[in-house]
Amino acid sequence: MKRYLIATIICATISTVCCCDVVKLTFPSGFSLGTGSAAYQVEGAWNVSDKGENVWDYYVHNHPEIIADGSNGDVACNSYYKYKEDVALIKSTGFDFYRFSVSWSRVLPTGFANVISEDGLQYYKNLTAELVANGIEPIVTLYHWDHPQVIEEMGGWTNELIVDWFVAYARILFEALGDSVKRWVTINEPDSICGDGYESTRLAPGKIITDIGKYLCGHNVIKAHAKTYRMYEEEFRDRQGGVIGIVLPVSGYLPYNSSYEDAADTAFQFNCGWMAHPLYFGDYPEIMKTRVALVSESQGYPRSRLPEFSDEWKAIINGTNDYLGINHYTSRFVYNDPDEELGIYNSDSGLLMTVDSSWPVATSSWLYVYPEGFGYMLRKVRDEYNNPSTWVMENGYSGADNLEDYDRINYFYEYLKEMLIAVKRDGCNVEGYGVWSILDNFEWADGYTNRFGIIRVEFDDADTNRTTKLSQAWWKKVLSKRKLQSVPTPTTNTNTRTGLPWQK
Ligand code: NOJ
C-alpha cells in the first residue's frame, strides 16, 4: 500500500518521459509470462472415446446459424492429438506458463462424478506432464464455458445444484493433477457465460431469460467458486500447496469527462465488482444492490432481481480468492444515461458507454484499442481490493488471417508498456501476464473469422498445420531479454491501419 503511494507521489512530480525511464520496460524479476487456451476452442476430438456432449457441442450442432462462419469446434486446432507440438511451440517461444482448461464432459461423460473417463483424465495428465517435463508451469482452468449438456438440461448455471456438481468435478481434478498444478482457476469470465449465455444467444446455452438469468447464474457461479475454494482448503491445500482464483473480464471504464467519475466507478462495480466484491468482502457492491433493487421496483418486480446471500453464505464466500485473474482487452468511456432524469430506467447500471473515434478497432467488433485504459483499470483494482495479487490471464488482439501481424505486435507493445508502468511506477501487484492466445482458435460465435493467435492454424487443412506469425518472433525476443522490444516497421501487412496515434 505504502509502496505504491510513495511511487505515485514521486512520479506525479516528474514527467511521463521520466517515468518511462524509471520504468525501463523490463519485467520485474520473478514476473511470470505465459500464454493460454480453452478446451473447446482448441482441443477438437469432440466425440472421441467416451466424452460426453457439452453445451457448446450441442449449441453449434443445433444452431450453426449463430456462428459467423457456420463452423464449430469439432476439430478446432486438433490439440487433443497435437498437444506435444503445442507444448514444443510454447517452449520454443520461451513462455513460463501455459493456462489450459479442462473439458468437464471429457472427464465426466455423464456430467456427474459417478463415471470418470480414464481416457479423458489421461489426456490432461499427459498434457500436464508434458508441460512440466519442458519446464513450463501448468495453470489449469476448471471451467471455460463448456459444461455438460445434461446439466444444462436441468437449468445449468441457473440451478443451484450445479454448485455441488461443480465441487465434485473439481475434487477429481485436484486429486488427479494437483501434485503438479499449483495455480488453479475455478471459472473463466462468469460475466460472459452469465450475460451472453443466459440473457442472449451470443454464447451457449443461448437462453434468453430476460432480467433474471444473468444474476441467477452469477449467484451460483460465486457459490461454486467459493465452495470449491473451501473444499481445496480443507482437503488439498496442506499437501498440494496450490492457489485458487477466479478470472474476470475487466475492461477499462473511464469517465467520459470529469463529471462522470462516479459513473466510471459504477461501471467497474457492475463489471469487476459483481464477482470480486463478494470474494473479497462477502457481498455484492452496495451500488449494485441499490441500483438493481431500484430498477427492479420500477419494473414491477416484488423484490430485487439481484439475489441475496444468506449470512452463512457470506461467511463461506468472504476471502476465497488467493489471486485475482483478469482478462483485459478493451476500454470504454462511461456517462450517465440522461433518460434517468425523466424517470426512465433503461438498464440496471443506468450508464451509457462510448469509445473515442481515434481508437482503432480489431477484427472483433468490441475490441477497441486503448492501452491507457489497461493501466487505469489496474490502478482501480489496486485501490478497490487492497492491492491484491493480480494475474492478467488474457490480453490480446484479433486480426485477419495473416502472418505479418504488426497490429498485434503494436497492441502488445503498448498494452505491456501500460502494465509495466502500473506495476513499476504505481506499485500494482501484478505478478503474471498471459498472451491470448498461443494459437488461432475457435472464437466462439465469431467462429474462425477472428484470429487471436501468435501462431497461425490452417483450419481448412486436415493436418491443422501451425505456422508462427511475426508476433511469435517478437514475443520470443521479449521473453529471452525479459524486456519490451521495439516494434518492427510494417511492410506488407494487409491488416495495418495507417496513421494510428498508437503506432510507433
Ligand atoms: C475471453 C475468453 O476467455 C476467451 O475464450 C476468448 O477467446 C477471448 N476473450 C477473446 O474473445
Side-chain angles (χ1 to χ4, degrees):
M1 189 86 153
K2 239 184 190 166
R3 188 160 57 96
Y4 72 72
L5 275 179
I6 295 168
T8 311
I9 293 164
I10 293 171
C11 280
T13 59
I14 45 183
S15 73
T16 314
V17 178
C18 184
C19 273
C20 281
D21 210 39
V22 170
V23 166
K24 285 279 197 317
L25 305 183
T26 54
F27 291 91
S29 75
F31 194 94
S32 203
L33 290 158
T35 186
S37 70
Y40 189 78
Q41 294 182 275
V42 300
E43 281 178 6
W46 79 278
N47 60 354
V48 303
S49 184
D50 50 355
K51 178 179 167 294
E53 187 183 39
N54 65 41
V55 276
W56 273 92
D57 297 323
Y58 181 87
Y59 202 50
V60 295
H61 294 154
N62 290 283
H63 295 285
E65 74 285 356
I66 291 195
I67 312 300
D69 51 6
S71 66
N72 57 52
D74 289 0
V75 176
C77 306
N78 235 336
S79 290
Y80 184 78
Y81 297 106
K82 300 188 110 180
Y83 72 91
K84 286 193 179 176
E85 191 179 331
D86 294 349
V87 173
L89 285 164
I90 294 163
K91 182 176 184 176
S92 66
T93 312
F95 286 118
D96 303 324
F97 71 81
Y98 180 51
R99 169 182 169 243
F100 64 89
S101 81
V102 174
S103 161
W104 184 337
S105 50
R106 191 182 295 289
V107 171
L108 301 184
T110 64
F112 304 100
N114 63 324
V115 179
I116 301 174
S117 164
E118 288 293 318
D119 286 355
L121 209 50
Q122 193 58 48
Y123 169 68
Y124 296 108
K125 285 183 182 168
N126 292 346
L127 173 55
T128 303
E130 187 71 10
L131 289 164
V132 172
N134 283 282
I136 302 159
E137 187 196 347
I139 297 184
V140 176
T141 305
L142 296 170
Y143 175 77
H144 198 125
W145 306 357
D146 51 353
H147 55 284
Q149 177 61 17
V150 63
I151 287 185
E152 188 48 46
E153 274 152 26
M154 290 181 285
W157 284 106
T158 63
N159 180 348
E160 191 175 346
L161 289 173
I162 198 173
V163 174
D164 288 337
W165 296 330
F166 186 82
V167 173
Y169 159 64
R171 181 180 286 112
I172 289 161
L173 292 168
F174 293 153
E175 197 67 70
L177 306 178
D179 286 340
S180 305
V181 176
K182 301 300 166 198
R183 186 169 296 273
W184 295 91
V185 174
T186 51
I187 293 162
N188 177 73
E189 293 202 1
D191 277 49
S192 308
I193 171 80
C194 296
D196 291 338
Y198 290 93
E199 283 194 16
S200 91
T201 56
R202 216 180 134 67
L203 294 179
K207 290 181 174 166
I208 304 187
I209 311 174
T210 311
D211 293 347
I212 308 283
K214 182 170 112 178
Y215 295 134
L216 193 53
C217 164
H219 208 62
N220 291 327
V221 161
I222 293 167
K223 288 180 174 179
H225 165 89
K227 266 204 151 181
T228 302
Y229 183 99
R230 296 295 180 207
M231 180 267 286
Y232 185 81
E233 209 170 38
E234 277 159 32
E235 301 174 27
F236 295 94
R237 178 98 78 187
D238 284 352
R239 62 187 158 110
Q240 296 188 345
V243 290
I244 302 195
I246 200 165
V247 170
L248 307 177
V250 190
S251 298
Y253 293 110
L254 300 99
Y256 185 66
N257 65 38
S258 57
S259 59
Y260 294 115
E261 296 282 348
D262 287 351
D265 177 61
T266 302
F268 177 86
Q269 301 303 345
F270 267 82
N271 170 218
C272 186
W274 177 19
M275 302 286 151
H277 207 274
L279 304 190
Y280 287 107
F281 307 116
D283 201 1
Y284 293 118
E286 274 315 306
I287 187 75
M288 260 191 102
K289 292 198 283 184
T290 319
R291 288 278 329 175
V292 181
L294 175 79
V295 180
S296 301
E297 196 188 340
S298 81
Q299 294 169 316
Y301 288 101
R303 48 174 292 183
S304 175
R305 290 178 283 101
L306 184 68
E308 283 176 19
F309 293 116
S310 64
D311 287 345
E312 199 187 330
W313 267 111
K314 283 182 190 168
I316 293 172
I317 291 164
N318 195 351
T320 54
N321 215 29
D322 294 324
Y323 69 94
L324 182 59
I326 285 178
N327 293 347
H328 177 83
Y329 291 87
T330 192
S331 286
R332 296 290 183 270
F333 281 132
V334 183
Y335 57 101
N336 295 103
D337 182 351
D339 276 359
E340 293 219 344
E341 284 169 24
L342 309 171
I344 301 166
Y345 297 106
N346 296 314
S347 66
D348 286 337
S349 68
L351 303 172
L352 293 175
M353 298 194 188
T354 187
V355 296
D356 192 276
S357 58
S358 69
W359 298 357
V361 63
T363 53
S364 304
S365 56
W366 50 270
L367 208 174
Y368 288 89
V369 179
Y370 187 59
E372 290 84 346
F374 190 17
Y376 182 95
M377 178 278 289
L378 291 173
R379 287 182 284 277
K380 177 76 176 161
V381 164
R382 173 197 71 187
D383 297 344
E384 282 294 311
Y385 310 115
N386 197 19
N387 209 10
S389 164
T390 303
W391 282 61
V392 176
M393 287 298 190
E394 291 181 26
N395 177 240
Y397 179 87
S398 60
D401 182 15
N402 63 2
L403 294 176
E404 299 194 333
D405 52 345
Y406 295 104
D407 280 12
R408 180 168 292 109
I409 299 173
N410 269 313
Y411 178 96
F412 282 131
Y413 180 89
E414 296 295 342
Y415 271 68
L416 286 165
K417 189 173 93 184
E418 288 299 322
M419 183 188 78
L420 287 173
I421 291 172
V423 172
K424 297 173 79 175
R425 187 193 71 185
D426 303 334
C428 295
N429 192 14
V430 184
E431 299 175 318
Y433 170 97
V435 170
W436 190 267
S437 181
I438 184 67
L439 301 176
D440 286 341
N441 57 53
F442 179 75
E443 177 55 11
W444 311 111
D446 293 336
Y448 299 103
T449 61
N450 287 330
R451 292 172 176 247
F452 276 91
I454 59 169
I455 295 172
R456 175 170 186 264
V457 176
E458 272 176 60
F459 295 110
D460 294 337
D461 187 299
D463 287 338
T464 53
N465 280 333
R466 282 94 162 111
T467 314
T468 55
K469 303 184 189 180
L470 271 189
S471 57
Q472 185 271 351
W474 184 80
W475 264 106
K476 200 170 173 171
K477 246 184 165 174
V478 169
L479 290 160
S480 74
K481 308 261 187 236
R482 311 301 288 190
K483 184 180 191 318
L484 279 192
Q485 301 295 301
S486 60
V487 179
T489 314
T491 47
T492 57
N493 183 12
T494 51
N495 195 32
T496 299
R497 294 169 182 78
T498 50
L500 299 177
W502 51 284
Q503 278 187 334
K504 290 279 172 293

